[in-house]
Amino acid sequence: MNLRTSVATVCLSGTLEQKLHACAEAGFDGVELFEPDLVASPASPEEIAALAERLGLTLDLYQPFRDAEGVDEDAFHDVLHRARAKFRLMQRLGIGTMLVCSNVATASRDDDQVSATQLRRLGDLAAEHGIRLAYEALAWGRFVDDYRRAWRIVEIADHPAVGVCLDSFHILSRGHDPAAIEDIPGDRIFFLQLADAPALTMDVLSWSRHYRLFPGEGAFDLATFVGHVLGAGYTGPLSLEIFNDTFRQTDVLRTAQQAKRSLTWLEDQVAGRGTGAAAALPAVTQPSGFDFVEVKGEDTGEVDVMLRQLGFTFRGQHRSKPVRLWTQGGARVVCNEHLARDQEPTLAAVGVEVADPGASAKRARLLEAPPVFRRARANEQDLAAFRAPDGTEIFLSQAAPGDTAWVPEFEGGDPPSDALVTGVDHVNLAHPWQTFDEAVLFYTSVLALRAASSQDVAAPTGLVRSHVVRSDDGGVRLALNVAPLALDRTGGFPQHMAFSSPDVMAVARAARDRGLRPLPIPRNYYDDLAARFALDQALVEEMAELGVLYDRDADGDFLHFYTETVGDVFFEVVQRNGGYDGYGAPNAPVRLAAQHLREAGRPGAGR
Amino acid sequence: MNLRTSVATVCLSGTLEQKLHACAEAGFDGVELFEPDLVASPASPEEIAALAERLGLTLDLYQPFRDAEGVDEDAFHDVLHRARAKFRLMQRLGIGTMLVCSNVATASRDDDQVSATQLRRLGDLAAEHGIRLAYEALAWGRFVDDYRRAWRIVEIADHPAVGVCLDSFHILSRGHDPAAIEDIPGDRIFFLQLADAPALTMDVLSWSRHYRLFPGEGAFDLATFVGHVLGAGYTGPLSLEIFNDTFRQTDVLRTAQQAKRSLTWLEDQVAGRGTGAAAALPAVTQPSGFDFVEVKGEDTGEVDVMLRQLGFTFRGQHRSKPVRLWTQGGARVVCNEHLARDQEPTLAAVGVEVADPGASAKRARLLEAPPVFRRARANEQDLAAFRAPDGTEIFLSQAAPGDTAWVPEFEGGDPPSDALVTGVDHVNLAHPWQTFDEAVLFYTSVLALRAASSQDVAAPTGLVRSHVVRSDDGGVRLALNVAPLALDRTGGFPQHMAFSSPDVMAVARAARDRGLRPLPIPRNYYDDLAARFALDQALVEEMAELGVLYDRDADGDFLHFYTETVGDVFFEVVQRNGGYDGYGAPNAPVRLAAQHLREAGRPGAGR
């Protein structure tokens, strides 16, 4: 689209100077200068202007100027005094546009003519200083809380230095139809602020101040919104204004990069809506399935034992690295002891199969997913890989029937045999709270996965927030789990992969015969199961014996069991019957309680 | 009131056994057994019943039984199947009452007669098992969401085993008038659940599931509510049912004790409403002022220097301990190097003056405030002291004009001289997020302070949540500050005391003459000040020179300045003019940014 990109300094943590450096490094063209950031800075306006210039950043907007219109003449006198000082300041900063918010606190005149006249007078003063005013309807403005009314007032004001600022949050949070944006001449839209937000039901002020998200991380249809703004003929910057409690306290550069990724994604989405704009990214289809899952640790021997008990076949040792491959049906697990000194077994990498690995890799690169390098010899497959926000490595491989191309690199193992497990159903990743929203955007933008259900699950140590990103056909499902804070700070929240099978009871029985000890499930659970579902009592008893859990919804039912945890990893085997599309969420508290008890009983517990 | 006390196991973290132990140790008479806690427990129902009996706890309620009424006959058949299994389970547990929630998910018949008939049939089955049903209107029930309708249905059901359960959250969150509770015969109120909650505007389900608080920690008028229930003739337990994300993950015993404190406080409040019930606690008036503030550290020398620069007089060394006293006007600061090896200077104790220290100490003891013991010699004042939830020690002393009785224990100092500082205005304490709600209840219940304003303040590292508890006349004001999580986990968030003065400019000037370097405030701040307020430019320049900040509201204005931070402590001097009753909140981000810059420049920063 060739629109400039900008971001408000309020989105980021740190000092104003740190924010400017981060915005430049992330590749933004400019910034909105949030007044409190300047007020709290020891740097003079001239220093800030010079720093921005050296960094190649334009200062696109000075914001916010509050409570400017709809006031009595006495109060307006004070407004003019305040505005004059700010216009002079803006001249020192070299900023040409000021954000004027609709009045929240001091408005006493609910009259478009009064507001328009005052904006016109303010416009005269602004014009004397070479400044333009972008008037914005706040969602909680005292009288003006709708962009259509703000535009009407600007129309009446009829001053070349007075236009509107559009903010997606203020418009979409109120459910206002953005289509009427196209009725505004593009050159009267002086600024565009973009923010996404999760679908929450709360007062709009709290929602706005604490929960805004970068585009693609929330529930707003920003592509359509931007389409209307471009349709109106707007040519100014796409600028992000995100008030978010997490971004305010996490690494400034990382957040700036996340912000930039969100705009790259959004530009691509807008291009996809047939605006005639060129796509920013190579188009990719969703991954068709999991290629492999990797467990990494200094000693993965216990994992090897467990995989054999689950019916996996040892397919050999990698010819150049201390890495072993286990497969069963379409499920491939790599146990990697390379460069893992002092490391407990952990879920380190996930490979996904895509139609065009080259296009996917390029898309990832353009979205600034950090690349992972692994040494590959001449005769070895060199898969592109990226690091997800939680540190998990994501590998891209060519979708193909049967084993993928890298499997022959493993030597000295057994041939595949009959399998009760058919593939990997889903992978559960523990996720730090600091980068959770970033992760959702990462998976949806880089891999074109879809953010699906979100759920709170009660553990003995607090609520676990679980959010699924998946492909539409269910070939790839990732559950991102945020541990309770009190637990999070002690570290250690296990991750797991779930294998799919058409007969979980058979897998469980065979595994038990091979010595597997499943995660013990309380008898009380089975009594509750019998009360809730009209299940055959013999089946319930067999499930109890094998540690198999059960769930049912309107579309089908679900059987699954868990292994014990080794290091920070455990396994699950699941069976989906009918159209069951969930993950056994009602059973998750039982699993978490059982793991809590096992953990408490382990040597080294309470680390 | 001699009512029994109970608490739902869902309020607490840990395993079911851990919860029972904690409830018993905290002094509860019984518990509500939350079904998922039992389902996830490896202990059999008989074991749980036996453990509760050994611990002296009654199992007062089995809960919840969902989606029981308002359904089609087919669905009701499944309800009866489920109920029969649960009634048998309750017999094994020895629980006589089950909570039946109004239907949320499966209700298809919006008809009191249908619901009543189904409750009556369920009541027949319950009665066969010796069980009673307490029917409760959930605030988000599909059809039944008002306790008055739940009671109407119970009246129609007209079955001795069917009564109502009243839950303060479901009633008060919807704004329903609790007065009609008195229309319900007391013996038909089978159970009473109590929960407080903060005043939030959000969907009631999220509010209920994540934000409930113990009585006294939120905004509900529970004393009046309980008054109505007792007025109806209810004689069952006062039981707490609190769903709260924090309590779910923090120490189980500590939360149970907090829960018990909240009920003790509530019983006392109810008695105070003229119900004729005996007060649970000795009545106390609010503290009249600060007695002293103590800074503790291995070497408090830098604090000594700063106090002298601020105009404080060295009053001597304590005759038996390495403790020094500084005073100015009514402000007393104790510098304590006793038992402080390797400790940076920190704000360790706050003394408050009360009318009757004996009564206050007894009240604190009955509210289970943990006592603090300090060795006192025969001729020394022995002040009662308690530890606040954040670890700060709170001392109680006899209110008296002039210096308090312990001052003569300090020897070898100078006599008090003319003072520009008159006393302590407020004390700011850093507070961990885990015990924030507990702290609010602690200060309001133990010291009879009032929870006042709450505010989010932007720091370069995130939002600081600041909540003030105070006496009505402003003699004691404590600001509790919760640091952003990312900062919290690195530890270290400074605390401070603010001294009051009728002439802050004079204090600042005199301090500067004595060598004090105030916290540097950016020039940009003063330019903004000049834009916002019509202040005399010479005054602004003088404030800029002295690092004095300014705020104004409709009632008056406020001048203040800060010292640099020593260890984890700094000082503020404030001047309130007119009726200004705030704390200069608009200036707090400027202060936090300045401290952030100083901290970043200190040796050892980033620890």
Side-chain angles (χ1 to χ4, degrees):
Chain A
M1 288 180 284
N2 295 321
L3 289 181
R4 299 178 60 262
T5 58
S6 188
V7 57
T9 56
V10 70
C11 307
L12 304 170
S13 68
T15 65
L16 181 53
E17 287 92 330
Q18 289 168 335
K19 295 175 190 213
L20 293 178
H21 278 281
C23 293
E25 191 165 341
F28 280 96
D29 299 310
V31 300
E32 302 177 26
L33 184 57
F34 183 59
E35 179 175 88
D37 282 330
L38 180 72
V39 168
S41 171
S44 70
E46 288 77 12
E47 274 178 277
I48 295 300
L51 174 61
E53 185 173 2
R54 167 164 73 84
L55 294 172
L57 289 172
T58 51
L59 299 176
D60 296 323
L61 188 76
Y62 187 85
Q63 65 120 319
F65 190 81
R66 297 191 189 281
D67 302 328
E69 41 63 50
V71 298
D72 294 334
E73 187 59 27
D74 270 6
F76 191 66
H77 184 80
D78 292 343
V79 168
L80 288 175
H81 167 80
R82 184 156 52 94
R84 192 172 290 112
K86 296 302 176 187
F87 293 155
R88 285 184 193 144
L89 173 64
M90 288 172 65
Q91 288 180 317
R92 294 172 64 194
L93 288 158
I95 304 183
T97 308
M98 172 189 266
L99 176 70
V100 177
C101 299
S102 65
N103 199 319
V104 170
T106 62
S108 55
R109 310 286 300 275
D110 185 8
D111 183 330
D112 288 355
Q113 292 296 340
V114 169
S115 290
T117 302
Q118 292 177 340
L119 280 184
R120 191 184 309 128
R121 289 167 65 189
L122 211 54
D124 283 338
L125 186 60
E128 287 170 26
H129 295 80
I131 284 166
R132 306 197 312 168
L133 306 177
Y135 179 58
E136 171 186 68
L138 298 180
W140 52 90
R142 172 84 175 87
F143 298 124
V144 180
D145 58 6
D146 184 324
Y147 78 97
R148 292 161 292 203
R149 184 166 181 192
W151 164 236
R152 198 161 65 233
I153 291 169
V154 166
E155 264 194 306
I156 300 170
D158 190 25
H159 192 290
V162 180
V164 292
C165 172
L166 300 175
D167 180 308
S168 61
F169 183 89
H170 291 297
I171 295 169
L172 300 177
S173 69
R174 296 287 306 269
H176 294 161
D177 183 353
I181 290 172
E182 304 210 26
D183 299 338
I184 308 175
D187 61 358
R188 307 308 303 283
I189 303 173
F190 284 5
F191 212 75
L192 171 63
Q193 293 180 317
L194 295 170
D196 205 340
L200 295 174
T201 306
M202 58 167 55
D203 69 283
V204 72
L205 183 58
S206 301
W207 191 17
S208 173
R209 292 257 169 100
H210 301 287
Y211 298 97
R212 287 187 180 205
L213 292 170
F214 291 118
E217 296 176 353
F220 289 162
D221 178 3
L222 291 180
T224 297
F225 181 87
V226 172
H228 289 307
V229 180
L230 298 182
Y234 174 75
T235 57
L238 297 180
S239 190
L240 298 167
E241 188 193 34
I242 315 295
F243 305 93
N244 179 290
D245 289 1
T246 298
F247 305 153
R248 278 180 184 276
Q249 59 185 295
T250 46
D251 184 75
V252 58
L253 177 57
R254 185 164 181 162
T255 307
Q257 288 167 333
Q258 176 184 0
K260 189 62 169 51
R261 175 185 300 151
S262 77
L263 274 187
T264 306
W265 170 85
L266 179 59
E267 289 183 59
D268 185 60
Q269 293 285 308
V270 172
R273 298 297 167 97
T275 52
L281 302 170
V284 296
T285 53
Q286 293 183 329
S288 51
F290 289 101
D291 181 21
F292 70 94
V293 183
E294 176 185 298
V295 175
K296 184 165 186 166
E298 176 162 5
D299 178 0
T300 60
E302 280 189 75
V303 177
D304 290 337
V305 169
M306 218 174 246
L307 288 167
R308 191 181 289 284
Q309 290 168 336
L310 288 170
F312 277 70
T313 301
F314 176 64
R315 299 292 297 282
Q317 173 95 22
H318 192 269
R319 56 190 175 215
S320 69
K321 294 174 202 147
V323 176
R324 291 186 298 281
L325 173 64
W326 295 82
T327 75
Q328 185 173 190
R332 288 177 283 275
V333 181
V334 170
C335 290
N336 179 1
E337 296 178 347
H338 190 48
L339 303 174
R341 175 103 34 105
D342 288 333
Q343 195 175 312
E344 286 281 294
T346 184
L347 205 162
V350 174
V352 294
E353 298 176 334
V354 295
D356 183 347
S360 286
K362 185 172 178 202
R363 183 180 175 92
R365 212 160 42 239
L366 290 171
L367 286 163
E368 286 160 274
V372 169
F373 296 104
R374 284 202 180 179
R375 200 176 300 144
R377 302 206 175 177
N379 58 348
E380 292 171 10
Q381 289 288 313
D382 189 12
L383 304 180
F386 300 90
R387 196 174 297 281
D390 71 336
T392 303
E393 297 174 358
I394 307 295
F395 284 79
L396 302 168
S397 69
Q398 177 70 54
D403 280 346
T404 43
W406 51 268
V407 168
E409 294 171 20
F410 290 81
E411 296 167 347
D414 304 318
S417 59
D418 286 352
L420 287 166
V421 160
T422 50
V424 174
D425 183 86
H426 62 277
V427 174
N428 267 43
L429 300 171
H431 213 96
W433 63 271
Q434 295 95 326
T435 55
F436 178 76
D437 297 306
E438 181 185 353
V440 172
L441 177 62
F442 176 89
Y443 288 113
T444 54
S445 65
V446 173
L447 294 182
L449 295 174
R450 175 167 61 80
S453 57
S454 182
Q455 192 123 21
D456 287 327
V457 177
T461 46
L463 291 183
V464 177
R465 181 161 57 130
S466 181
H467 194 109
V468 172
V469 291
R470 55 171 290 180
S471 57
D472 293 325
D473 69 2
V476 170
R477 302 165 184 260
L478 297 172
L480 311 178
N481 296 297
V482 180
L485 282 168
L487 181 62
D488 184 39
R489 66 176 50 201
T490 63
F493 186 70
Q495 314 195 100
H496 82 275
M497 67 203 84
F499 303 117
S500 49
S501 171
D503 189 349
V504 149
M505 299 296 279
V507 177
R509 204 175 302 110
R512 197 195 49 178
D513 291 347
R514 291 187 204 100
L516 183 89
R517 200 171 138 173
L519 184 72
I521 303 301
R523 177 72 222 178
N524 296 333
Y525 169 78
Y526 294 99
D527 291 345
D528 182 59
L529 210 55
R532 289 194 291 136
F533 302 111
L535 294 172
D536 178 64
Q537 191 60 34
L539 174 65
V540 173
E541 293 308 324
E542 195 181 354
M543 289 196 289
E545 188 196 338
L546 297 170
V548 171
L549 299 102
Y550 180 84
D551 189 30
R552 187 199 290 163
D553 65 16
D555 301 314
D557 63 4
F558 187 66
L559 289 91
H560 57 140
F561 72 92
Y562 301 97
T563 69
E564 301 267 12
T565 301
V566 173
D568 289 326
V569 179
F570 64 98
F571 299 105
E572 180 183 6
V573 183
V574 312
Q575 174 180 347
R576 298 176 182 278
N577 297 322
Y580 186 94
D581 203 29
Y583 304 85
N587 299 328
V590 176
R591 187 254 295 175
L592 288 161
Q595 290 178 323
H596 176 74
L597 282 170
R598 304 300 291 175
E599 176 68 23
R602 281 209 297 177
R607 55 181 163 156
Chain B
M1 289 182 283
N2 294 322
L3 290 182
R4 301 177 59 260
T5 57
S6 189
V7 58
T9 56
V10 70
C11 307
L12 304 170
S13 68
T15 65
L16 181 53
E17 287 93 329
Q18 288 169 336
K19 295 176 188 210
L20 293 178
H21 279 280
C23 293
E25 189 164 340
F28 280 96
D29 299 309
V31 300
E32 302 177 27
L33 185 57
F34 183 59
E35 180 175 87
D37 282 329
L38 180 72
V39 167
S41 172
S44 71
E46 288 77 12
E47 274 178 275
I48 295 300
L51 175 62
E53 186 173 2
R54 167 165 74 84
L55 294 172
L57 289 172
T58 51
L59 299 176
D60 296 323
L61 187 75
Y62 187 86
Q63 65 118 321
F65 190 81
R66 298 192 188 279
D67 302 328
E69 41 64 49
V71 298
D72 295 335
E73 187 58 26
D74 269 7
F76 192 64
H77 184 80
D78 291 344
V79 168
L80 289 175
H81 168 80
R82 185 156 53 94
R84 192 173 290 112
K86 296 302 176 188
F87 293 155
R88 286 185 192 144
L89 173 64
M90 289 171 65
Q91 288 180 318
R92 294 171 65 192
L93 287 158
I95 304 183
T97 307
M98 172 189 264
L99 177 69
V100 178
C101 300
S102 65
N103 199 318
V104 170
T106 63
S108 57
R109 309 287 300 275
D110 185 8
D111 183 331
D112 287 356
Q113 292 296 338
V114 170
S115 291
T117 302
Q118 292 177 340
L119 281 184
R120 191 184 308 127
R121 289 167 66 189
L122 211 54
D124 282 338
L125 186 61
E128 286 172 25
H129 295 80
I131 282 165
R132 306 196 311 167
L133 306 177
Y135 179 58
E136 172 185 68
L138 298 180
W140 52 90
R142 173 87 174 84
F143 299 125
V144 180
D145 59 6
D146 184 324
Y147 79 97
R148 292 160 293 202
R149 183 167 182 192
W151 163 236
R152 198 161 65 234
I153 291 169
V154 166
E155 263 193 308
I156 300 169
D158 190 25
H159 192 291
V162 179
V164 292
C165 172
L166 299 175
D167 180 308
S168 61
F169 183 90
H170 291 297
I171 295 169
L172 300 177
S173 67
R174 297 288 306 269
H176 293 160
D177 184 353
I181 290 172
E182 302 212 26
D183 300 337
I184 307 174
D187 61 357
R188 307 308 303 283
I189 303 173
F190 284 4
F191 211 76
L192 172 63
Q193 293 179 317
L194 296 170
D196 205 340
L200 295 175
T201 306
M202 59 166 58
D203 68 285
V204 71
L205 183 58
S206 301
W207 191 18
S208 173
R209 292 257 168 100
H210 301 287
Y211 298 97
R212 288 187 179 205
L213 292 170
F214 291 118
E217 296 176 352
F220 288 163
D221 179 1
L222 290 179
T224 297
F225 181 86
V226 172
H228 290 306
V229 180
L230 299 182
Y234 174 75
T235 56
L238 298 180
S239 189
L240 298 167
E241 187 193 35
I242 316 296
F243 304 94
N244 180 290
D245 288 1
T246 299
F247 305 154
R248 278 180 184 274
Q249 59 185 295
T250 46
D251 184 77
V252 58
L253 178 58
R254 184 164 182 164
T255 307
Q257 287 167 333
Q258 176 185 0
K260 189 62 169 54
R261 175 185 298 151
S262 78
L263 275 187
T264 306
W265 171 85
L266 179 59
E267 289 183 58
D268 185 62
Q269 292 286 307
V270 172
R273 299 296 167 96
T275 52
L281 302 168
V284 297
T285 52
Q286 293 183 329
S288 52
F290 289 101
D291 182 20
F292 69 93
V293 184
E294 177 187 298
V295 175
K296 186 165 184 162
E298 176 162 5
D299 177 0
T300 60
E302 280 188 75
V303 176
D304 290 336
V305 170
M306 218 175 246
L307 288 167
R308 189 180 291 283
Q309 289 169 336
L310 288 171
F312 277 71
T313 301
F314 177 63
R315 298 292 297 281
Q317 174 96 21
H318 191 269
R319 57 190 174 215
S320 70
K321 293 174 203 145
V323 176
R324 291 185 298 280
L325 173 65
W326 295 83
T327 74
Q328 185 173 190
R332 287 177 284 275
V333 181
V334 170
C335 290
N336 179 2
E337 296 177 347
H338 191 47
L339 302 174
R341 175 101 38 102
D342 287 333
Q343 197 176 311
E344 286 281 294
T346 185
L347 206 162
V350 173
V352 294
E353 298 177 334
V354 295
D356 183 347
S360 286
K362 185 173 177 202
R363 182 180 175 92
R365 213 160 41 238
L366 290 170
L367 286 163
E368 286 159 274
V372 169
F373 297 103
R374 286 204 179 177
R375 200 176 299 145
R377 303 206 175 176
N379 57 349
E380 293 170 10
Q381 289 289 312
D382 189 11
L383 303 179
F386 301 89
R387 197 173 296 280
D390 71 335
T392 303
E393 297 174 358
I394 307 294
F395 285 78
L396 302 169
S397 69
Q398 178 70 55
D403 280 346
T404 44
W406 53 267
V407 168
E409 294 171 20
F410 290 80
E411 297 167 348
D414 304 318
S417 59
D418 286 352
L420 287 167
V421 159
T422 50
V424 174
D425 183 86
H426 62 278
V427 174
N428 267 42
L429 300 171
H431 214 94
W433 63 272
Q434 295 94 328
T435 55
F436 179 75
D437 297 306
E438 180 185 352
V440 171
L441 177 62
F442 177 90
Y443 288 113
T444 54
S445 65
V446 173
L447 293 181
L449 295 174
R450 175 167 60 80
S453 57
S454 182
Q455 191 122 22
D456 287 327
V457 177
T461 46
L463 291 183
V464 177
R465 182 162 58 132
S466 181
H467 194 109
V468 171
V469 292
R470 56 172 290 180
S471 57
D472 292 326
D473 68 2
V476 170
R477 302 167 185 258
L478 297 172
L480 311 178
N481 296 297
V482 179
L485 282 168
L487 181 62
D488 183 39
R489 66 177 48 202
T490 63
F493 187 70
Q495 313 195 101
H496 82 274
M497 66 202 86
F499 303 117
S500 49
S501 170
D503 190 349
V504 148
M505 299 296 279
V507 176
R509 205 175 302 111
R512 198 196 49 178
D513 292 346
R514 291 187 205 100
L516 183 88
R517 201 171 136 172
L519 183 72
I521 303 300
R523 178 70 222 181
N524 296 334
Y525 169 79
Y526 294 99
D527 291 344
D528 183 60
L529 211 56
R532 288 194 291 135
F533 302 110
L535 293 173
D536 179 66
Q537 191 60 34
L539 174 64
V540 172
E541 294 307 325
E542 196 180 355
M543 289 195 287
E545 188 196 340
L546 296 170
V548 170
L549 299 102
Y550 180 83
D551 189 31
R552 186 200 290 163
D553 65 16
D555 301 315
D557 64 3
F558 187 66
L559 290 91
H560 57 141
F561 73 93
Y562 300 97
T563 69
E564 300 266 12
T565 301
V566 173
D568 289 326
V569 180
F570 64 98
F571 299 105
E572 180 184 5
V573 183
V574 311
Q575 174 180 346
R576 297 177 182 278
N577 297 322
Y580 186 93
D581 205 27
Y583 304 85
N587 299 329
V590 177
R591 187 255 294 174
L592 287 161
Q595 289 178 325
H596 176 74
L597 281 172
R598 304 301 289 176
E599 175 68 22
R602 281 210 297 178
R607 56 182 161 158

